[in-house]
Amino acid sequence: MMVENISRRDFIKSSGIAAGGLVLGVATQVPALAFADEQTDAAFNPNAFIHLQENGDLILYCGRCEMGQGISTALPAAVADEMEADWARVTVKQGDADEKYGPQATGGSASILRMYEPMREAGAAAKLMLIAAAAKVWKVSPEQCIAKDHVVYNQHSGQKLSYGQLASLAAMQAVPEKPKLKDKSQYKYIGKALPRHDQRQVVIGERIYGVDTKVPGLKYAAITHCPVLGGKLKSLEKTEALATKGVIDVVEIPRFEVPYGSIGGVAVVADNTWTAQQALKKLKIEWELGDNASYDTAQYKQQLIKNVEQPAEVATERGDLNNAFANAAQKISATYTGGHLSHSPMEPNASVVYVEKDRCEVWAATQAPKAIQEVLGQYLDRDPKDITVHVTMAGGAFGRKFKCDYVQEAAAISQKIGAPVQLTWSREEDMRTGYYHSINAQHIEASLDSDGNVTGWLHRVAFPPIASIFDASAVKPRKNDVSAVDDYPFGLPNFRSEIGDAKAHTRIGWYRAVYAIFYGFSFSTFADELAYKAGKDPLTFLHQLYDANSNEAQAEQVARSKNAVQVAAEKSGWFERDKLPPGQGIGLAVHFSFRSYVAMAVRVESDGDNIKVLQVDAVIDCGQVLNRDGATAQMEGAVVMGMSLALSTEITFRNGAVVNSNFHNYPVMRISDMPQVNVHIIESDHKPTGLGEPGVAPFAPALSNAVFAASGKRYRDLPFKPMTV
């Protein structure tokens, strides 16, 4: 980490606001890819600004993208804590796309993991510079001074100077190279329940989202795409649409063959969005549907099941699985499946783009502003650095807004008509021509000895991988895609993983929790099934599986997983579950993903067909939590998403096209379905790890296990209760 004292001239140039006082840029070594596990040798890049104004107001810039997860509160609060700043004097601003903020791609639950210490060090450096400035004024040693609540005090004389009074003088002090960070006992904001910095604007409807962007001369566009991936425009009759009052143009957008490029479509441009949408319906379009026109998810899922219920490519093998199976006292097998999922954020894809002869300016709700610069740079044949991207608040994203096809399409339209354009996808277009979570199948076989110990485990998977959007030859998961299976912290001495074929017929993309959704489902559900087969209590059996792991490298995973599920059991009433009314049951699950541990205990009332979720006890161990309020919200949101995908949401393809169109036939949970959710945060001195995604995975298996406990019926296919569409 390196902190730079930025000149006022440079700051004014980059921020566009008047500058006076202390301005610091933060530099740190961080990996270029959001989903990279380890740090790389990437060069040091500035990634944040701290601007303390002469009136004492403090502006903190957040380089990571805000989509509701609260990152623009958590990270700036860490700066303010180390700086001993008054949070009431802090204004948070979102950084535009710029390498000075470092890698801005926001995903993989990696933001706090990567930025926690660099941001704290920046705040600590600023505090020491303010103290040094005050010491000079008083002509005393800095050790004689302390900072607290936006003020520096002379401990001997009782004199004090506010941060605003010291701002300009502090800017002339040397930047400390290795500022000492606060002890945990001294935290003022870190680890506390801090309201979002923008909470008031969100509540009263003043928060500006991507779709709210307005610029002078703005035109509005609506779009439709070929419903089948790989199809193309065959014929277009646009006379009636062009005759509609307010319509400006109809623009054909060809497929742009780069990752995150448009799949091709037709857009109507008008003087408002409603007119554009209505005129879009008047287009007469014929499509050539192409090779994926026969894609049918019902048939495809059956093919995946066949592919995992027969031998496939071996990914990893440990011990002697064949011998374990041959000498088993009991064997059990099960196949688990799941369907495609749509991200369906509340704010559909929207952006404003203005392409001019010598410049291009973008306003977009995005998770990856640099990707926008790169894709538009390729499309417009310009240097990506010459494309200005303003990052707006995203009304939900869940991985969808990592891909910028909707921005490239707006650029194509703007370039064609020579005006700024706001392109807004309809809900239907988002649901029918988006990116999707992988449809999947897993088959597990295991052997038990006479004491009920697991002696062998075969785990076979098949799903179209995310790599297929970058490489058409990726027709099955890569070995890296099954590493979470190979490294699962159960003690499985005789183990084999295998990979089945699964060619993609649609665009596969990151969806919140990604592959952990189906891996968490299969591991925790199958463990529960094994427990009943062995005649053991499911919690005792889980502990037994972890205790059998003698790999010292996984000792921490084992201990923290066991603790999380134990806490979930204790908080949920697991040990008194024999007192539950008839028809009620509790299910447990625990999963490690994004370097965090989440356990859930779900209590249901069910006769096997009807399922009512009564209570969820969610336990999160993600190391040091920055904001308990935000952490609680993340877990509550994970329960909502987990309930939706466990019970009802599934994207169905027939004849190559998505059948679902909106929330009436893609039914996410309503507020009336919300159970009592109790979030339990494990106090920890470990470094902070992922929080946004790991809460999704354990819900479905905990629910499946609860329904079995209540009714004796076992669900192995997600969702349990799919809507017929």
Side-chain angles (χ1 to χ4, degrees):
M1 193 282 297
M2 180 173 66
V3 179
E4 292 182 312
N5 198 339
I6 306 298
S7 74
R8 297 180 184 184
R9 181 176 180 180
D10 287 346
F11 181 76
I12 293 170
K13 181 179 176 182
S14 60
S15 67
I17 66 173
L22 174 63
V23 181
L24 294 181
V26 186
T28 186
Q29 188 175 25
V30 288
L33 298 175
F35 302 105
D37 290 331
E38 303 297 336
Q39 293 196 354
T40 68
D41 295 329
F44 281 77
N45 296 305
N47 55 43
F49 272 131
I50 297 173
H51 180 203
L52 177 62
Q53 301 181 89
E54 290 171 333
N55 66 358
D57 291 343
L58 178 62
I59 300 174
L60 300 176
Y61 283 78
C62 184
R64 311 294 281 195
C65 305
E66 177 64 75
M67 60 197 95
Q69 82 278 37
I71 193 66
S72 63
T73 297
L75 285 177
V79 177
D81 201 327
E82 290 289 349
M83 193 174 168
E84 294 292 352
D86 180 356
W87 184 246
R89 304 294 300 272
V90 173
T91 298
V92 178
K93 291 185 178 292
Q94 179 69 54
D96 287 345
D98 197 313
E99 62 182 10
K100 67 173 179 271
Y101 295 110
Q104 294 176 278
T106 306
S109 291
S111 293
I112 288 176
L113 173 69
R114 307 296 185 208
M115 303 305 300
Y116 175 58
E117 288 197 3
M119 297 294 273
R120 288 179 61 200
E121 289 171 353
K127 177 184 69 178
L128 292 178
M129 294 169 74
L130 287 158
I131 288 176
K136 279 197 173 183
V137 172
W138 296 323
K139 297 180 180 177
V140 299
S141 165
E143 286 71 28
Q144 229 176 276
C145 306
I146 62 167
K148 184 179 179 182
D149 296 334
H150 239 68
V151 175
V152 177
Y153 295 89
N154 183 331
Q155 297 185 90
H156 290 181
S157 67
Q159 293 171 292
K160 61 181 181 181
L161 289 168
S162 71
Y163 277 13
Q165 290 173 303
L166 292 168
S168 293
L169 185 56
M172 293 186 282
Q173 308 307 308
V175 179
E177 290 188 4
K178 294 182 179 179
K180 183 181 178 182
L181 300 181
K182 294 167 72 172
D183 182 79
K184 185 173 183 176
S185 62
Q186 299 172 309
Y187 290 164
K188 184 176 181 181
Y189 305 126
I190 297 172
K192 308 299 189 297
L194 196 66
R196 293 175 57 102
H197 73 90
D198 57 353
Q199 185 162 287
R200 181 177 184 279
Q201 292 96 321
V202 171
V203 170
I204 65 176
E206 289 187 352
R207 191 66 160 99
I208 301 299
Y209 294 83
V211 76
D212 298 321
T213 304
K214 295 290 181 289
V215 299
L218 187 63
K219 310 303 178 188
Y220 301 83
I223 193 167
T224 187
H225 304 89
C226 179
V228 178
L229 181 65
K232 60 183 180 181
L233 185 64
K234 183 177 180 182
S235 66
L236 171 64
E237 170 51 55
K238 55 188 178 184
T239 305
E240 188 179 356
L242 285 171
T244 303
K245 183 180 180 181
V247 169
I248 297 167
D249 202 352
V250 173
V251 179
E252 297 177 24
I253 301 173
R255 182 179 178 87
F256 187 44
E257 297 282 359
V258 302
Y260 311 153
S262 173
I263 58 174
V266 181
V268 172
V269 187
D271 54 14
N272 63 74
T273 298
W274 174 255
T275 298
Q277 290 176 336
Q278 297 311 302
L280 193 71
K281 299 176 183 176
K282 299 177 182 178
L283 295 175
K284 296 179 176 59
I285 303 175
E286 285 189 89
W287 303 100
E288 287 185 8
L289 299 181
D291 296 339
N292 292 315
S294 61
Y295 185 43
D296 181 299
T297 42
Q299 296 175 7
Y300 186 81
K301 188 181 286 186
Q302 292 305 310
Q303 184 59 53
L304 288 183
I305 292 172
K306 288 182 180 177
N307 293 351
V308 296
E309 292 185 346
Q310 62 187 6
E313 175 189 341
V314 174
T316 295
E317 189 156 18
R318 298 190 295 266
D320 189 341
L321 184 67
N322 292 336
N323 184 59
F325 280 5
N327 294 286
Q330 297 185 82
K331 281 188 64 181
I332 181 174
S333 64
T335 298
Y336 302 91
T337 54
H340 285 301
L341 297 169
S342 165
H343 306 80
S344 296
M346 289 307 297
E347 178 196 41
N349 303 324
S351 67
V352 170
V353 181
Y354 191 11
V355 178
E356 298 179 84
K357 184 178 180 180
D358 55 353
R359 64 195 297 265
C360 175
E361 196 164 10
V362 175
W363 294 260
T366 177
Q367 295 176 249
K370 185 179 179 183
I372 292 175
Q373 291 179 310
E374 291 174 347
V375 171
L376 264 60
Q378 293 176 73
Y379 180 73
L380 299 170
D381 193 22
R382 299 182 186 183
D383 188 334
K385 292 182 179 178
D386 293 337
I387 296 167
T388 301
V389 179
H390 306 291
V391 179
T392 65
M393 170 78 171
F398 312 119
R400 174 61 181 93
K401 292 171 183 173
F402 216 92
K403 305 93 175 175
C404 59
D405 47 348
Y406 56 101
V407 183
Q408 183 251 309
E409 290 169 342
I413 300 166
S414 175
Q415 187 179 39
K416 171 71 165 42
I417 69 168
V421 169
Q422 181 181 70
L423 171 65
T424 305
W425 285 31
S426 66
R427 170 69 58 200
E428 289 76 9
E429 207 59 33
D430 179 38
M431 194 166 288
R432 287 174 168 165
T433 55
Y435 288 78
Y436 303 96
H437 174 69
S438 303
I439 188 172
N440 58 87
Q442 299 170 87
H443 179 74
I444 308 177
E445 297 179 23
S447 53
L448 298 170
D449 65 17
S450 57
D451 294 325
N453 300 305
V454 175
T455 57
W457 187 291
L458 168 67
H459 202 128
R460 201 176 284 135
V461 305
F463 56 87
I466 293 169
S468 61
I469 62 175
F470 305 102
D471 179 4
S473 68
V475 294
K476 63 170 64 176
R478 303 162 301 175
K479 188 172 181 180
N480 185 54
D481 292 327
V482 299
S483 61
V485 174
D486 297 340
D487 299 331
Y488 205 82
F490 285 169
L492 305 171
N494 302 300
F495 169 88
R496 184 163 69 229
S497 62
E498 297 180 5
I499 299 171
D501 291 341
K503 182 180 179 181
H505 297 281
T506 186
R507 294 192 294 182
I508 305 298
W510 297 280
Y511 176 100
R512 185 182 184 185
V514 204
Y515 302 153
I517 292 172
F518 46 77
Y519 288 151
F521 182 55
S522 66
F523 269 102
S524 281
T525 308
F526 193 64
D528 195 76
E529 296 199 48
L530 282 171
Y532 283 97
K533 187 76 171 179
K536 296 187 176 183
D537 169 75
L539 176 60
T540 303
F541 192 80
L542 269 176
H543 283 305
Q544 176 183 308
L545 276 168
Y546 284 115
D547 290 339
N549 189 338
S550 59
N551 183 352
E552 292 185 3
Q554 291 187 306
E556 181 181 321
Q557 285 186 45
V558 167
R560 294 173 73 179
S561 297
K562 282 167 58 70
N563 182 56
V565 73
Q566 184 69 26
V567 172
E570 292 171 356
K571 297 293 185 182
S572 66
W574 170 264
F575 298 104
E576 294 82 35
R577 65 190 188 284
D578 57 336
K579 300 176 183 175
L580 291 174
Q584 290 193 18
I586 298 175
L588 296 172
V590 58
H591 194 68
F592 169 71
S593 62
F594 304 93
R595 304 191 184 194
S596 293
Y597 308 80
V598 179
M600 286 191 183
V602 174
R603 180 161 64 88
V604 301
E605 183 174 271
S606 178
D607 59 7
D609 294 324
N610 300 293
I611 300 170
K612 181 174 179 58
V613 181
L614 302 174
Q615 179 174 313
V616 180
D617 286 89
V619 179
I620 172 76
D621 178 356
C622 59
Q624 173 65 57
V625 169
L626 269 69
N627 184 355
R628 295 182 72 87
D629 189 57
T632 299
Q634 286 283 16
M635 296 304 293
E636 292 169 341
V639 168
V640 173
M641 207 155 192
M643 278 186 67
S644 298
L645 68 90
L647 289 171
S648 58
T649 52
E650 181 176 29
I651 289 292
T652 299
F653 282 77
R654 291 195 199 99
N655 300 319
V658 172
V659 180
N660 317 65
S661 59
N662 209 317
F663 291 127
H664 70 285
N665 56 13
Y666 188 77
V668 298
M669 292 297 99
R670 268 51 171 183
I671 194 169
S672 57
D673 301 315
M674 192 67 182
Q676 173 67 38
V677 179
N678 307 314
V679 177
H680 313 282
I681 299 173
I682 301 290
E683 289 295 332
S684 174
D685 292 327
H686 289 282
K687 291 183 178 179
T689 49
L691 181 57
E693 301 183 74
V696 176
F699 182 86
L703 178 62
S704 174
N705 298 340
V707 172
F708 182 79
S711 68
K713 184 169 183 175
R714 180 69 73 181
Y715 286 95
R716 300 190 182 96
D717 181 35
L718 297 175
F720 300 170
K721 314 292 283 184
M723 173 179 281
T724 300
V725 293

